[in-house]
């Protein structure tokens, strides 16, 4: 599954935002016998025929296989409504959606990252469903992930899941290096602790090197590495609460020095800049690294699948791979900062055409988006992904779905979600756009140069600072 860059979406207080695995007391959900959540019927609801269109990628391994049944189940709930689903691959999803949006005729619903909301909002074709989402729908959700689908006061769809970007470790190698991985899973670790741990994981056997840590950084993936770590270095967003650009902070320079230091220690490959997502996972499964990143909960399932293939002598197992017990690990904290783990919230965005939709059609789109994002549909998708359930209806439907998942890994994800980076909605769209431009044109290429050993941390920091002053003004940046 492709993952998106960190969002610039909406703020929510830490006291309410970081409980994506917890429950919402007192929530009442109306469900069908099959476990598909549905809002309570309202008096005078329209019974006119209507069709809702949805553009959906392969959200989970089995997701697209259920489209026909989803449509049947939806019509069973709402006999006057038809849910017409257009499948798309991850590769062409964005292009298809952008083409339809640019033509002024987007689908009613499209699956995507919440970070895309500001972009489509600027184009004027996202549909605010604040006045159409029922209390039953809203109360079904954990508060934190729902906030990511907001911009300002508007709600532009329903989230499908809230995942956390973590690291992944080889259990046997961690224990061989004397690392108390269970403690790390639920208490975290500092940069210094992490640095010493991956030094212990650096081993040479039979002329081959096993690194302590490998992260995919080739191409634009470099910004994933930097962004995930920056959140844990006192910079959870590109802007602080006063809307000053944060990456001119002294913590940013300190972070750049630390990340370069891991390569200079030898704990990471000197050729790290050539490692893409496929290569890093191959290195992990073939025993070439103790810890890998970025990691998602579903990677545990991927490792178990490969283990089963090895046991069965299946030729489709990764070549030269070894059995691996996958351990979910949090990223370290830097510069004495509090943990603020990177999350990704994808969901069902709601669109409108050039003409104002009727109130009836808008209500029907909301019914369809909620249907896809809750109940048994959410339960099946999130169970497939090993993701935490973010609706009460999904959690209830998932009770009968058994998955083989490590309880320690569940606890690790729970720890990170409770310390997750909250959403932001106070960052103006124009500031967010400038930050993305600076990231694309300056941060990504400079960081690629840093990890390749072509420039120093100080040189990159000065380049970012200069570009930030040009973009936001001397008074628009953090000075500490």
């Amino acid at each position: 599954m492709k993952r998106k860059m960190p969002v610039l979406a909406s703020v929510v207080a830490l006291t309410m935002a970081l409980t994506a695995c917890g429950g919402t007391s007192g929530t009442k959900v109306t469900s069908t016998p099959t476990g598909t959540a549905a809002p309570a019927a309202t008096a005078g609801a329209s019974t006119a025929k209507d069709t809702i269109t949805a553009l959906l990628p392969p959200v989970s391994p089995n997701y697209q296989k259920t489209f026909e049944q989803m449509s049947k189940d939806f019509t069973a709930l709402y006999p006057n409504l038809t849910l017409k689903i257009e499948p798309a691959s991850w590769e062409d999803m964005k292009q298809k959606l952008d083409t339809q949006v640019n033509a002024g005729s987007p689908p009613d619903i499209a699956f995507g990252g919440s970070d895309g909301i500001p972009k489509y909002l600027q184009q004027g074709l996202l549909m605010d469903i604040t006045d159409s989402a029922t209390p039953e729908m809203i109360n079904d959700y954990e508060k934190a992930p729902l906030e990511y689908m907001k911009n300002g006061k508007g709600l532009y769809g329903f989230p499908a899941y809230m995942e956390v970007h973590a690291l992944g470790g080889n259990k046997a190698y961690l224990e061989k290096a004397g690392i108390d991985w269970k403690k790390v899973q639920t208490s975290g670790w500092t940069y210094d602790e992490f640095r010493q741990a991956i030094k212990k994981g650096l081993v040479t056997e039979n002329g081959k090197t096993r690194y302590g840590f490998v992260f995919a950084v080739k191409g634009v993936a470099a910004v994933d590495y930097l962004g995930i770590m920056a959140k844990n270095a006192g910079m959870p967003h590109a802007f602080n609460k006063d809307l000053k650009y944060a990456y001119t902070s002294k913590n940013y320079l300190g972070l750049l020095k630390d990340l370069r230091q891991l390569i200079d220690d030898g704990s990471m490959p000197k050729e790290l800049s050539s490692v893409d997502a496929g290569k890093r996972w191959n290195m992990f499964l073939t025993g070439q690294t103790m810890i890998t990143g970025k990691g998602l909960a579903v990677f545990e399932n991927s490792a178990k699948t490969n283990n089963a293939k090895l046991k069965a002598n299946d030729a489709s197992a990764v070549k030269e791979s070894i059995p691996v017990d996958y351990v979910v690990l949090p990223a370290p904290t830097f510069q004495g900062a509090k943990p603020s783990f990177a999350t990704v919230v994808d969901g069902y965005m709601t669109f409108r055409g050039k003409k104002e939709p009727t109130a009836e059609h808008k209500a029907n789109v909301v019914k369809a988006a909620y249907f896809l994002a809750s109940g048994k549909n959410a339960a099946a998708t999130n169970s497939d992904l090993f993701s935490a359930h973010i609706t009460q209806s999904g959690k209830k439907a998932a009770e009968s779905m058994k998955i083989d998942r490590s309880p320690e890994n569940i606890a690790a994800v729970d720890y990170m979600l409770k310390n997750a980076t909250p959403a932001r909605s106070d960052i103006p769209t124009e500031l967010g756009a400038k930050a993305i431009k600076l990231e694309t044109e300056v941060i990504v290429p400079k960081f690629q140069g840093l990890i390749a050993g072509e420039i120093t941390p100080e040189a990159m920091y000065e380049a970012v600072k200069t570009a930030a002053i040009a973009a936001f003004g001397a008074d628009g940046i953090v000075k500490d």
Side-chain angles (χ1 to χ4, degrees):
M1 179 186 307
K2 291 190 176 180
R3 285 292 179 263
K4 321 297 184 293
M5 291 186 295
V7 299
L8 294 171
S10 51
V11 168
V12 74
L14 282 171
T15 54
M16 65 181 274
L18 308 175
T19 55
C21 283
T24 303
S25 60
T27 299
K28 293 183 179 179
V29 180
T30 302
S31 301
T32 68
T34 58
T36 299
T42 56
S46 174
T47 58
K49 296 286 187 180
D50 195 8
T51 297
I52 300 93
T53 58
L55 180 65
L56 307 177
V59 176
S60 74
N62 295 304
Y63 183 70
Q64 290 188 330
K65 300 174 184 177
T66 65
F67 283 177
E68 184 177 352
Q69 188 61 48
M70 280 184 184
S71 294
K72 289 180 179 178
D73 289 346
F74 183 69
T75 299
L77 279 174
Y78 306 104
N80 61 310
L81 303 182
T82 299
L83 177 60
K84 184 179 179 182
I85 301 176
E86 178 185 356
S89 68
W90 280 114
E91 287 70 26
D92 63 12
M93 176 72 197
K94 182 178 181 297
Q95 183 179 357
K96 277 190 174 183
L97 180 57
D98 286 348
T99 297
Q100 293 177 34
V101 168
N102 292 335
S105 56
D108 294 310
I109 299 166
F111 189 91
S114 55
D115 57 332
I117 288 175
K119 169 187 172 182
Y120 294 117
L121 191 58
Q122 277 189 315
Q123 294 174 283
L125 294 182
L126 272 184
M127 186 169 70
D128 182 2
I129 62 172
T130 304
D131 61 350
S132 301
T134 67
E136 290 90 348
M137 296 174 182
I138 298 300
N139 292 334
D140 191 22
Y141 272 94
E142 300 293 347
K143 292 180 180 179
L146 191 63
E147 293 296 317
Y148 278 85
M149 301 302 289
K150 295 180 180 180
N151 189 283
K153 295 181 179 180
L155 175 64
Y156 298 95
F158 294 112
Y161 50 71
M162 181 175 185
E163 286 209 36
V164 62
H165 286 152
L167 307 181
N170 179 310
K171 179 180 176 181
Y173 292 163
L174 290 167
E175 292 180 346
K176 191 173 182 180
I179 298 167
D180 188 350
W181 55 270
K182 290 185 180 180
K183 180 180 179 182
V184 171
Q185 283 187 320
T186 55
S187 302
W189 45 4
T190 65
Y191 167 70
D192 289 333
E193 291 169 338
F194 178 75
R195 183 188 177 198
Q196 294 307 313
I198 62 174
K199 279 185 178 180
K200 295 176 182 177
L202 178 63
V203 176
T204 300
E205 294 178 342
N206 301 319
K208 295 183 179 180
T209 299
R210 178 169 74 237
Y211 294 98
F213 181 41
V214 171
F215 202 104
V217 297
K218 186 177 180 181
V220 294
V223 79
D224 285 345
Y225 184 34
L226 184 55
I228 289 168
M229 300 305 186
K231 292 182 185 305
N232 265 359
M235 297 163 287
H237 296 278
F239 297 91
N240 68 8
K241 63 180 181 179
D242 298 319
L243 297 179
K244 305 288 186 182
Y245 188 70
Y247 298 158
T248 53
S249 164
K250 63 184 180 182
N251 277 18
Y252 197 70
L253 175 58
L255 175 64
L256 297 178
K257 290 179 178 179
D258 288 343
L259 296 181
R260 179 63 223 181
Q261 191 174 50
L262 300 179
I263 300 174
D264 294 337
D265 284 346
S267 300
M268 302 185 79
K270 293 190 181 300
E271 304 79 17
L272 185 65
S273 59
S274 68
V275 177
D276 59 17
K279 185 175 181 179
R280 68 89 202 267
W281 186 238
N282 182 277
M283 291 180 71
F284 183 73
L285 291 182
T286 55
Q288 297 179 65
T289 184
M290 179 178 71
I291 297 175
T292 189
K294 66 185 177 187
L296 297 168
V298 72
F299 286 9
E300 177 187 345
N301 198 27
S302 298
K304 286 180 176 178
T305 298
N306 195 68
N307 291 344
K309 290 179 178 180
L310 288 173
K311 188 174 182 179
N313 293 317
D314 188 330
S316 65
V318 174
K319 186 178 179 181
E320 298 181 359
S321 59
I322 60 174
V324 174
D325 282 335
Y326 185 87
V327 173
V328 174
L329 296 168
T333 55
F334 299 79
Q335 317 298 314
K338 295 180 180 179
S340 183
F341 298 108
T343 55
V344 56
V345 177
D346 296 344
Y348 299 91
M349 294 181 288
T350 48
F351 287 83
R352 48 164 290 175
K354 291 181 178 179
K355 294 183 179 180
E356 183 70 23
T358 64
E360 290 79 9
H361 182 67
K362 186 175 182 180
N364 293 338
V365 171
V366 171
K367 290 175 183 176
Y370 177 69
F371 166 81
L372 292 168
S374 63
K376 73 173 185 180
N377 292 322
T381 301
N382 289 0
S383 295
D384 213 12
L385 294 170
F386 280 24
S387 296
H389 299 289
I390 60 174
T391 60
Q392 293 303 306
S393 60
K395 188 179 296 184
K396 183 176 181 180
E399 290 175 356
S400 61
M401 300 177 184
K402 303 302 180 184
I403 59 174
D404 181 18
R405 189 177 178 191
S406 159
E408 291 86 2
N409 286 346
I410 293 174
V413 172
D414 184 52
Y415 163 72
M416 286 183 281
L417 286 173
K418 287 177 179 176
N419 292 281
T421 304
R424 294 278 300 266
S425 69
D426 63 318
I427 299 173
T429 303
E430 61 272 18
L431 282 186
K434 286 183 179 181
I436 291 173
K437 186 172 186 291
L438 194 157
E439 179 183 85
T440 302
E441 297 180 356
V442 181
I443 291 178
V444 171
K446 292 298 182 183
F447 188 59
Q448 288 170 335
L450 175 65
I451 59 181
E454 297 167 355
I455 63 171
T456 64
E458 291 81 3
M460 175 176 171
Y461 175 74
E462 288 302 323
V464 172
K465 186 175 181 180
T466 298
I469 292 174
F472 307 110
D475 294 329
I477 64 171
V478 169
K479 300 174 184 177
D480 56 8

